Amino acid sequence: MAGRIDARLQELAIELPTPAIPVAAYVPAVRTGNTLFLSGQVTFWNGELRCVGKLGDNFTVEQGQEAARLCALNLIAQAKAALDGDLDRVVRVVKLVGFVNSTADFTDQPKVINGASETFVQVFGDAGRHARSAVSAASLPLGVAVEVEAILEVA
């Protein structure tokens, strides 16, 4: 039987990607007590790398927001895997940290990372509201436009 969050995903017509396999020496999630730390997720969709580029150069804010949304979907997929398929165990999204691959003069990092923040609120409602950082990076792994990590409170 599908849980409340799975039903919400279906209602929103949101499909989660297959959780990405780490591209280096780390694990996708670590749980300690009631806290789930999710490693930074980039713009993979079922094994296919998407959204390679730099904000302020060849990516618009809107394209960056879509990249951030894809990162959020990957984070939710990783959380689902770490929680044995039960997203109803997410009590609260505590914090997101978003990294934006951008030019030195690009200043709309918060607008870009809104793509991830808004996705978490869509899916988890008030429990999706979180603290956040949005920072610029000179480059990101595999040349992606955005990377986002998350900290969740879980039951």
Side-chain angles (χ1 to χ4, degrees):
M1 181 176 187
R4 178 181 50 83
I5 298 300
D6 284 333
R8 180 75 179 142
L9 289 167
Q10 187 173 10
E11 175 185 320
L12 294 168
I14 294 176
E15 177 186 351
L16 294 179
T18 302
I21 297 169
V23 297
Y26 62 91
V27 295
V30 171
R31 181 173 177 182
T32 181
N34 66 344
T35 306
L36 182 64
F37 294 85
L38 296 169
S39 294
Q41 297 296 301
V42 297
T43 53
F44 277 112
W45 183 261
N46 296 329
E48 175 191 341
L49 187 63
R50 296 184 178 177
C51 305
V52 174
K54 188 175 281 284
L55 278 289
D57 182 15
N58 59 349
F59 257 60
T60 65
V61 169
E62 292 76 18
Q63 289 171 312
Q65 290 170 334
E66 283 302 311
R69 178 177 172 78
L70 182 52
C71 293
L73 295 176
N74 276 288
L75 285 163
I76 295 168
Q78 292 291 2
K80 186 172 185 170
L83 297 171
D84 301 319
D86 187 1
L87 286 170
D88 288 352
R89 291 172 59 191
V90 174
V91 174
R92 177 160 193 97
V93 179
V94 176
K95 182 162 186 183
L96 297 184
V97 180
F99 304 91
V100 179
N101 182 359
S102 61
T103 58
D105 61 344
F106 184 81
T107 60
D108 283 332
Q109 294 83 359
K111 289 181 184 175
V112 169
I113 302 304
N114 279 348
S117 292
E118 291 166 1
T119 300
F120 275 97
V121 173
Q122 268 189 311
V123 172
F124 294 102
D126 282 341
R129 297 188 188 284
H130 51 270
R132 187 183 87 181
S133 299
V135 298
S136 193
S139 67
L140 288 173
L142 308 172
V144 296
V146 178
E147 178 176 355
V148 181
E149 65 180 53
I151 301 170
L152 309 178
E153 178 186 354
V154 297

